[in-house]
Amino acid sequence: MKKLVLAIFISLTGFSTQAQSGYDITINLKNCKDTIAFLTFYQFDKTFIKDTCTSIKNGKIVFKGKTKLDKGIYSLVGQQKSIYFDFL
């Protein structure tokens, strides 16, 4: 019985680590002069920074993370705090 419980626990642990694949968002903006970009998240009446891209090259902005993003509305925000666009 203990081996069965241990086997179920190990298999469930394996599924939970595979389900968290993280995120990889790549955005290409032509003529982007910003050197820093922020990935923000709306929650009720507040906006939170979820990630920061500090190396924008030729307008290519990349956000990567190890944990899965929550469902909701996100925005790409430039270094002057101007919103480029919102997305789901």
Side-chain angles (χ1 to χ4, degrees):
M1 183 67 175
K2 288 182 182 180
K3 289 182 181 180
L4 177 62
V5 172
L6 181 62
I8 292 172
F9 176 75
I10 290 172
S11 65
L12 289 176
T13 304
F15 285 121
S16 67
T17 57
Q18 291 175 358
Q20 295 179 355
S21 60
Y23 63 93
D24 185 2
I25 301 170
T26 303
I27 301 168
N28 290 309
L29 290 178
K30 292 182 180 180
N31 302 322
C32 179
K33 306 246 189 260
D34 289 335
T35 56
I36 297 174
F38 302 99
L39 178 65
T40 62
F41 175 70
Y42 292 112
Q43 189 171 37
F44 301 110
D45 62 341
K46 296 181 182 177
T47 303
F48 299 96
I49 296 175
K50 293 297 268 186
D51 201 353
T52 304
C53 176
T54 57
S55 60
I56 300 173
K57 295 180 182 175
N58 299 325
K60 186 175 182 180
I61 302 167
V62 179
F63 298 106
K64 288 185 181 181
K66 294 180 181 179
T67 59
K68 190 175 178 181
L69 291 174
D70 296 327
K71 293 180 182 178
I73 300 173
Y74 289 85
S75 297
L76 176 65
V77 179
Q79 66 190 29
Q80 301 297 326
K81 298 181 182 170
S82 58
I83 298 174
Y84 283 109
F85 56 86
D86 296 330
F87 58 96
L88 299 174

